[in-house]
Amino acid sequence: MQPVAAPPIPERVRTLAATAAPTHVSLTGTDLPASPARGGVDGQGRPVLLVMPGEPLHDPLDEPVVTVDLAANR
């Protein structure tokens, strides 16, 4: 029997992330609760968020640090 060859873990994580969708986003360093997220991910699995006027991430003064929750099906 041949062992099953699997891609390296970073590649598997990127592949899974590339099929994911953002579910929540929170702004680090604030007391604001996490809010629902809209958008998708790029080919590298990085979140791309749709932010509307009036939302905390729209037109920030500084570059914000955020946490984005992703959900994907295997």
Side-chain angles (χ1 to χ4, degrees):
M1 246 185 158
Q2 294 281 341
V4 175
I9 290 176
E11 184 178 330
R12 290 186 302 190
V13 169
R14 274 193 308 272
T15 301
L16 184 59
T19 64
T23 58
H24 291 90
V25 62
S26 58
L27 193 56
T28 304
T30 69
D31 293 332
L32 297 171
S35 58
R38 293 175 308 281
V41 293
D42 66 10
Q44 295 296 314
R46 295 175 295 214
V48 179
L49 301 175
L50 173 63
V51 181
M52 303 301 284
E55 294 179 341
L57 290 177
H58 189 266
D59 203 23
L61 297 176
D62 295 320
E63 188 169 322
V65 176
V66 299
T67 300
V68 179
D69 297 332
L70 298 173
N73 293 324
R74 288 187 140 190

